[in-house]
Amino acid sequence: MAIPKSAVVWTIVVSMVLVTMARRIHSSLSVGMSLIPNATSLGAVCLDGSPPAYHLHRGVGAGARNWLLQFEGGGWCNDVASCLERSTTRRGSTRYMNKFEVFSGILSDDPAMNPDFYDWNRVKLRYCDGASFAGDSVYSRGDTLLYFRGKRIWDAIISDLLPKGLIQAEKVLLSGCSAGGLATFLHCDDLANHLPNMTTVKCMSDAGFFLDMNDITGKNSIRSFFSSVVNLQVVQKVLNIDCLTSHDNPYQCFFPQYALAYIKTPYFILNSAYDVYQFSHIFVPPSADPSGHWSRCKKNPESCRPDQIMILQGLRTEMLTALRPFDRSKSGGMFINSCFAHCQSELQDAWFAPSSPRLNNKTIAEAVGDWYFEREVVKEADCAYPCDSTCHNLIPSNRVDGYHAPLHGFAQVSLTALLVIMYLLQPPSFI
């Protein structure tokens, strides 16, 4: 009996989709966790006392002597209650962390996805202290014991990596996302001090340029929040001495816009002018919108009313104003787009892909690479929303620890494949 032509077509299409899915699965790099030996004896522990960790994928060929260190993000805790709760999650304990992490975007080992850094030694530093790897104290009262040891975790990680090849590095890039992006401001010069003068050290913050600004009601909740983080975890030990001398309050030097002026190491700032975390939690926090007038706008910028868009331009203005002094930096680089996004370097679709956001026809990966290797001066600031047609502007409802987690990469392929297969498997009479 002859096979219907339509059935052959269905088989071919489904096979092509499944092959595409298989290729995406195969191209995903999953890297195992390494706990830091002897960290506990040094007091370098997570909130709950568990040892800190990182994920290392070794470089190859020409990149074997170059290193990329990537701070993991995940918000902060600013009081005992929030830190205690955090200590029972993957944000405060390695006991609850995934033992394998997928490396994509700037961490990818595929030259087609990460052209400049794919063959470097790439390290993801797991975040479990709640203060951007910066605190150094202990809280003990009754049955409650919390370790605020972010600074010691950072020191222990560097001490562990130095003999593994970091001390012989030719080129190093310290980067991070969100709270990890803020950590790069705090530790950039310190990393350079650990390495020989001949080593090229540069730093990049992704979505870590958190602004000291008022919300839409005129209140400044982020200032009091950061102040309580600094005081609770005794972050002053990490903050730049010159910055502390020049400002009245230590918490000011926890803000990147004040710390940046004192960083000597070449620096690159990757940020959205409409960073969705700052939009939702700093510029229009729930306390400033008790009636939920901004709810639809937060979920989808296309749902924002004209008056809300006008107010949102104030967020962009604050960002560009704070960056104005940095624009004069000879060694600095900048990529400030107008996409509603948060953390773009680890997402393959945002970092380097056919549909990636662009400024002057340059992807984020190309801009960072041009800056790092000094191929070109990169100081890009986008026009105001909604002018940029390369932006995805997807703000999904699913969030993890305050992070927006859009479907991308394999998830998009899987969803497409599922829909195609469901369609194709319908009886012919419905086609």
Side-chain angles (χ1 to χ4, degrees):
M1 180 173 136
I3 300 175
K5 184 177 180 180
S6 57
V8 175
V9 174
W10 300 345
T11 303
I12 293 173
V13 174
V14 171
S15 298
M16 290 174 64
V17 171
L18 292 176
V19 167
T20 302
M21 292 172 63
R23 286 176 177 170
R24 291 305 292 265
I25 293 173
H26 179 72
S27 66
S28 296
L29 174 64
S30 185
V31 181
M33 174 190 287
S34 298
L35 295 175
I36 301 175
N38 304 320
T40 304
S41 63
L42 301 173
V45 293
C46 301
L47 286 170
D48 70 333
S50 59
Y54 59 77
H55 301 251
L56 165 63
H57 191 259
R58 286 288 186 175
V60 296
R65 294 192 66 173
N66 300 330
W67 288 74
L68 189 154
L69 310 182
Q70 178 82 355
F71 283 118
E72 183 180 29
W76 311 269
C77 59
N78 69 322
D79 55 33
V80 172
S82 62
C83 290
L84 187 61
E85 180 181 4
R86 188 183 180 95
S87 71
T88 62
T89 72
R90 66 189 181 94
R91 295 303 186 197
S93 171
T94 49
R95 296 187 179 98
Y96 304 104
M97 291 180 181
N98 295 329
K99 300 306 182 280
F100 287 84
E101 281 287 295
V102 173
F103 276 24
S104 63
I106 196 172
L107 295 174
S108 173
D109 66 338
D110 188 337
M113 297 181 176
N114 187 24
D116 283 313
F117 306 105
Y118 74 95
D119 57 351
W120 288 29
N121 297 285
R122 285 150 291 108
V123 190
K124 185 166 187 176
L125 284 58
R126 299 306 299 268
Y127 181 35
C128 64
D129 63 277
S132 291
F133 295 81
D136 193 9
S137 64
V138 174
Y139 178 88
S140 179
R141 182 171 297 178
D143 296 331
T144 302
L145 179 61
L146 289 168
Y147 298 91
F148 303 130
R149 296 300 197 187
K151 179 182 183 299
R152 298 192 188 197
I153 290 173
W154 162 249
D155 291 337
I157 289 175
I158 296 303
S159 296
D160 193 57
L161 292 176
L162 285 172
K164 292 182 178 179
L166 180 60
I167 191 63
Q168 299 171 326
E170 295 177 356
K171 295 180 175 62
V172 177
L173 175 61
L174 178 65
S175 183
C177 153
S178 194
L182 191 151
T184 65
F185 290 95
L186 304 178
H187 296 295
C188 183
D189 284 343
D190 184 61
L191 176 60
N193 291 335
H194 276 89
L195 298 171
N197 292 334
M198 65 188 72
T199 305
T200 299
V201 181
K202 299 186 180 184
C203 304
M204 181 186 82
S205 167
D206 176 9
F209 198 73
F210 294 94
L211 295 168
D212 179 14
M213 65 177 176
N214 294 337
D215 63 31
I216 57 172
T217 67
K219 296 180 180 179
N220 192 317
S221 57
I222 187 63
R223 184 179 297 172
S224 59
F225 182 88
F226 273 2
S227 177
S228 57
V229 171
V230 169
N231 292 330
L232 174 69
Q233 299 216 27
V234 190
V235 172
Q236 292 91 330
K237 297 178 184 179
V238 164
L239 302 178
N240 183 282
I241 295 176
D242 293 331
C243 182
L244 290 172
T245 303
S246 303
H247 292 83
D248 296 331
N249 298 294
Y251 74 82
Q252 290 175 283
C253 297
F254 196 67
F255 277 102
Q257 68 194 84
Y258 305 125
L260 183 59
Y262 302 93
I263 296 175
K264 300 180 178 65
T265 307
Y267 210 95
F268 191 97
I269 296 177
L270 164 61
N271 231 97
S272 164
Y274 305 91
D275 182 276
V276 293
Y277 185 89
Q278 298 201 56
F279 170 22
S280 296
H281 298 279
I282 299 175
F283 194 59
V284 191
S287 59
D289 184 35
S291 300
H293 295 306
W294 284 81
S295 296
R296 294 182 66 229
C297 181
K298 285 182 177 182
K299 293 177 181 177
N300 181 2
E302 292 183 0
S303 298
C304 298
R305 302 187 308 267
D307 63 308
Q308 291 175 321
I309 293 296
M310 187 176 298
I311 293 172
L312 269 174
Q313 303 305 354
L315 174 58
R316 174 177 177 270
T317 299
E318 290 271 4
M319 178 77 65
L320 297 181
T321 300
L323 286 169
R324 194 171 295 152
F326 180 68
D327 192 40
R328 296 190 291 269
S329 168
K330 293 181 180 179
S331 63
M334 193 165 61
F335 191 102
I336 310 297
N337 59 16
S338 291
C339 305
F340 282 74
H342 185 68
C343 288
Q344 301 178 81
S345 63
E346 294 178 1
L347 296 177
Q348 192 61 57
D349 290 350
W351 175 248
F352 191 72
S355 61
S356 293
R358 284 170 164 76
L359 288 181
N360 286 334
N361 202 33
K362 194 187 297 286
T363 64
I364 295 170
E366 290 168 331
V368 174
D370 285 350
W371 162 77
Y372 188 94
F373 295 100
E374 300 178 6
R375 297 188 291 248
E376 188 177 336
V377 176
V378 179
K379 294 278 182 66
E380 303 287 357
D382 209 350
C383 49
Y385 175 83
C387 72
D388 192 338
S389 61
T390 69
C391 288
H392 297 172
N393 287 336
L394 296 178
I395 307 179
S397 58
N398 53 311
R399 301 182 185 183
V400 180
D401 296 327
Y403 287 86
H404 297 272
L407 289 173
H408 61 284
F410 173 65
Q412 286 182 333
V413 174
S414 301
L415 180 58
T416 302
L418 179 60
L419 293 174
V420 170
I421 292 172
M422 290 175 63
Y423 176 75
L424 292 173
L425 291 181
Q426 294 181 81
S429 60
F430 289 96
I431 298 177

